[in-house]
């Protein structure tokens, strides 16, 4: 059951990232958002699936 929560959280991060990236046109800002989302995904993995 813990893995399902992890996958739902990652899916939510991807959806939020896509929605934010579509609204923001700057490439640098898209890169920063991508790095932040990857860091959040890594933190979720580290704390919940370790």
């Amino acid at each position: 059951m813990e893995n399902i929560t992890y996958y739902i959280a990652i899916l939510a991060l991807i959806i939020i990232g896509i929605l934010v990236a579509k609204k923001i046109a700057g490439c640098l800002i898209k890169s920063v958002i991508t790095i932040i989302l990857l860091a959040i995904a890594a933190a979720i993995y580290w704390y919940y699936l370790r």
Side-chain angles (χ1 to χ4, degrees):
M1 196 59 146
E2 295 170 359
N3 290 341
I4 293 172
T5 306
Y6 170 71
Y7 291 123
I8 290 172
I10 295 298
L11 183 61
L13 284 174
I14 291 171
I15 292 171
I16 290 169
I18 290 171
L19 292 175
V20 170
K22 282 186 176 184
K23 293 184 184 271
I24 299 173
C27 185
L28 181 61
I29 295 173
K30 286 182 184 179
S31 298
V32 170
I33 291 171
T34 303
I35 291 170
I36 290 170
L37 290 175
L38 287 174
I40 292 171
I44 290 171
Y45 175 78
W46 181 259
Y47 289 116
Y48 292 109
L49 293 179
R50 191 167 58 109

